[in-house]
């Protein structure tokens, strides 16, 4: 399907996937430009994502990034590398008027009405897209230890689709 035909899709509000939100209020979700790299992955790809924020210490910058120029990281497991190479992703753009900021740290916006994209772009090279955005991509055997380290840091972080990550018990083998 082309990006043009994808752009004609409508997105209808659905129940929120998070238990901290009212399940009776359907939502259409959008992400801001800064956090978009957190989602340039296959749909169910588990990942640890993080970026430097205003409270990030120099120590954490040095610990989690390979160079001072980098300020955003996406980490996936080895088992998802081929999917990253072979997935085609559609990035939709919506008119902002009906969206409200739901989570400032995550960059989530929500609308309670049906939304039609104003543009759609097909991304055929996810790895290249992340590199072009200056994102540091890491591929590791397990996400769990890094997830704990990032949560204890001064970075702004998000743990995505961790239910699909290798179980912690496999990491000790």
């Amino acid at each position: 399907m082309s990006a043009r035909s994808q752009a004609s899709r409508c997105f209808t509000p659905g129940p929120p996937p998070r238990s901290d939100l009212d399940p009776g209020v359907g939502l259409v979700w959008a992400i801001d430009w800064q956090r978009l790299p957190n989602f340039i992955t296959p749909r169910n790809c588990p990942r640890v994502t993080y970026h430097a924020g205003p409270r990030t210490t120099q120590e954490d910058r040095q610990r989690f990034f390979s160079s001072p120029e980098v300020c955003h990281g996406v980490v996936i497991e080895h088992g998802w590398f081929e999917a990253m190479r072979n997935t085609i992703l559609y990035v939709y753009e919506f008119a902002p008027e009906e969206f409200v900021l739901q989570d400032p740290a995550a960059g989530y916006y929500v609308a309670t009405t049906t939304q039609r994209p104003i543009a759609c772009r097909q991304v055929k090279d996810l790895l290249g897209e992340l590199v072009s955005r200056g994102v540091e991509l890491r591929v590791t055997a397990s996400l769990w230890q890094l997830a704990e380290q990032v949560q204890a840091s001064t970075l702004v972080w998000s743990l995505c689709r961790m239910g699909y990550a290798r179980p912690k018990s496999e990491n000790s083998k």
Side-chain angles (χ1 to χ4, degrees):
M1 189 174 293
S2 72
R4 180 171 293 191
S5 61
Q6 284 287 328
S8 65
R9 291 185 53 187
C10 281
F11 289 79
T12 57
R18 294 172 33 179
S19 61
D20 62 325
L21 299 174
D22 182 349
V25 177
L27 300 171
V28 174
W29 293 80
I31 188 82
D32 70 15
W33 187 254
Q34 182 183 6
R35 266 65 66 136
L36 183 58
N38 296 354
F39 297 91
I40 300 176
T41 64
R43 172 95 177 134
N44 289 325
C45 178
R47 56 211 180 264
V48 174
T49 67
Y50 49 87
H51 66 274
R55 296 188 183 124
T56 301
T57 65
Q58 191 61 31
E59 179 184 37
D60 279 344
R61 284 179 180 269
Q62 291 173 347
R63 182 175 174 205
F64 290 98
F65 299 110
S66 65
S67 69
E69 295 80 26
V70 177
C71 64
H72 199 129
V74 174
V75 184
I76 65 169
E77 292 178 331
H78 292 152
W80 284 88
F81 184 74
E82 282 304 313
M84 282 289 290
R85 289 180 34 163
N86 297 311
T87 295
I88 296 174
L89 189 70
Y90 293 91
V91 177
Y92 298 95
E93 181 180 349
F94 296 101
E97 292 80 18
E98 295 185 36
F99 284 88
V100 296
L101 183 61
Q102 191 276 330
D103 183 334
Y108 294 151
Y109 287 79
V110 294
T112 57
T113 58
T114 298
Q115 298 294 311
R116 183 178 300 278
I118 58 174
C120 178
R121 185 170 63 91
Q122 190 179 66
V123 179
K124 294 181 179 179
D125 178 5
L126 304 184
L127 301 171
E129 183 73 15
L130 289 171
V131 169
S132 75
R133 293 170 175 272
V135 174
E136 186 164 278
L137 176 66
R138 292 174 50 194
V139 182
T140 186
S142 171
L143 297 174
W144 294 107
Q145 183 178 3
L146 177 65
E148 290 171 7
Q149 293 169 351
V150 167
Q151 288 178 74
S153 76
T154 59
L155 295 166
V156 180
W157 52 268
S158 182
L159 308 179
C160 304
R161 302 289 183 173
M162 293 298 282
Y164 293 95
R166 288 182 55 216
K168 289 181 184 182
S169 60
E170 287 184 28
N171 298 325
S172 60
K173 294 179 183 179

